[in-house]
Amino acid sequence: MSFVQFVVLAGGTGGARFLRGLRAAAPDADITAVVNTGDDVTMHGLRICPDLDTVVYTLGGGIDEERGWGRVGESWTVKEELAAYGADPDWFGLGDRDLATHLIRTRMLDAGYPLSAVTAALADRWRPGVTVLPMSDQRVETHVVVTDPETGRNQAIHFQEWWVRHRAALDASAFVQVGVDAARPAPGVTEAFAAADAILLAPSNPVVSIGTILGVPGLREALLASPARIVGLSPIVGGDVLRGMADRCLPVLGIEVSAEGVGRHYGARAAGGLLDAWLVHSGDTADVPGVDVVTVPLLMSSPEATAAMARAALDAAGV
Ligand code: GDP
Ligand code: CA
């Protein structure tokens, strides 16, 4: 059997679950995940990479399945103690087990290791079974432009503050990738695209997960230079988002909250967009000119269902 290589662009929960299905569908394949780091944030002096951690914990068996983020069997003693001191911010969930990850990451970053090396070191423990790469070693942080309800002025806040603290309830007018101009794809990213037999866009948030990854200068060009087919999976099922608030992000960019809306946003590779094929959920329809639209079940309701979905994506990629 020939040795096959797949690359997946991934955010947190949707990306991680999909990667688990792909690993099951293609156990012998060499899989590289290029993961969004735009959600990364520093809190209490610690560097936190939510999407990288979700991917590594999920694939390594350490995730809290119900919550979809953080460690299983978590306790919250440090968080309670911080609250007792009145320490800000108090709205971000930092579990005791999870803290060990952030402590090690911060220490390594402070010692001068790039995020890609830190991620590899953390993955050494979790053995995710795929190569996990941050989209970039440079810091790129998504900020959200919102109107302060009190002053009426526009203000940019960190994505985490908008998403976690405000539950995305403040109307956003733009997403800004702070630091993106100086960013480059992390080591291994462009090489993985060049060697890929298939490139898959996980059913992740099209704006603040996939969109952020694609915003890294040079990354989109490297992706499109790949000889592999590019196949996307819709995160919108039956006109709605699953497990999240992506419906709050799409309209900011004028994208309709539908499988067709997101497919058209990504666009046909043949027409300056990204996609060779677009997978939409059974019962959904999408007319995306120049793209092969495939209708299959896209609910990651069980490991088997997710693996079948990954198999369908590989079929659409021609591998
Ligand atoms: P985040 O970083 O944790 O927000 O996760 P991602 O960006 O990777 O994924 C969030 C997206 O996953 C949301 O837009 C959901 O609509 C999508 N999603 C979650 N579960 C499913 C599922 O079972 N099927 C599909 N097709 N999409 C899903
Ligand atoms: Ca995320």
Side-chain angles (χ1 to χ4, degrees):
M1 200 191 119
S2 66
F3 181 65
V4 285
Q5 304 186 39
F6 306 136
V7 184
V8 180
L9 303 197
T13 48
R17 281 168 200 254
F18 177 70
L19 280 160
R20 197 160 54 180
L22 180 63
R23 191 182 57 182
D28 298 323
D30 178 343
I31 301 169
T32 299
V34 177
V35 179
N36 170 45
T37 57
D39 300 9
D40 294 8
V41 66
T42 301
M43 292 200 185
H44 308 292
L46 299 177
R47 192 68 184 157
I48 300 165
C49 302
D51 288 0
L52 281 171
D53 286 347
T54 297
V55 167
V56 171
Y57 291 163
T58 300
L59 292 170
I63 197 84
D64 184 303
E65 293 284 346
E66 224 144 273
R67 228 178 20 241
W69 57 270
R71 292 293 318 283
V72 66
E74 189 58 283
S75 57
W76 306 91
T77 306
V78 174
K79 188 172 192 266
E80 286 161 24
E81 289 294 311
L82 287 167
Y85 280 110
D88 269 334
D90 58 0
W91 43 264
F92 196 78
L94 273 183
D96 299 334
R97 289 178 187 276
D98 198 24
L99 270 168
T101 306
H102 310 318
L103 284 166
I104 292 173
R105 174 186 294 123
T106 306
R107 183 168 141 194
M108 287 187 74
L109 289 170
D110 287 349
Y113 289 96
L115 182 61
S116 51
V118 177
T119 304
L122 293 169
D124 226 25
R125 168 185 175 190
W126 292 104
R127 308 267 158 190
V130 313
T131 303
V132 180
L133 300 177
M135 65 188 197
S136 177
D137 274 339
Q138 284 74 45
R139 276 191 192 187
V140 178
E141 288 187 359
T142 303
H143 283 58
V144 188
V145 180
V146 296
T147 310
D148 188 319
E150 275 162 32
T151 64
R153 282 215 201 97
N154 273 354
Q155 180 193 358
I157 59 175
H158 193 288
F159 173 72
Q160 293 294 349
E161 187 171 356
W162 184 67
W163 193 250
V164 178
R165 184 183 194 181
H166 298 293
R167 309 295 304 160
L170 299 177
D171 283 332
S173 56
F175 295 98
V176 183
Q177 289 178 274
V178 178
V180 76
D181 292 344
R184 300 180 297 283
V189 170
T190 56
E191 294 85 346
F193 289 146
D197 295 294
I199 298 176
L200 309 176
L201 309 185
S204 288
N205 189 309
V207 178
V208 293
S209 293
I210 304 293
T212 307
I213 299 171
L214 293 167
V216 174
L219 193 145
R220 187 188 175 100
E221 292 73 10
L223 177 80
L224 289 168
S226 174
R229 272 167 70 84
I230 303 172
V231 178
L233 296 99
S234 174
I236 308 295
V237 164
D240 211 350
V241 293
L242 298 153
R243 306 185 184 99
M245 306 170 284
D247 57 324
R248 297 287 299 158
C249 303
L250 295 166
V252 178
L253 270 68
I255 307 166
E256 188 190 273
V257 184
S258 68
E260 180 170 286
V262 177
R264 288 185 174 210
H265 168 67
Y266 286 146
R269 191 178 189 174
L274 289 169
L275 299 172
D276 292 300
W278 182 233
L279 270 55
V280 304
H281 183 60
S282 312
D284 285 343
T285 55
D287 176 20
V288 188
V291 175
D292 299 332
V293 174
V294 180
T295 308
V296 286
L298 289 188
L299 283 177
M300 297 190 279
S301 47
S302 69
E304 297 73 28
T306 313
M309 191 169 139
R311 186 62 253 167
L314 295 176
D315 288 343
V319 290

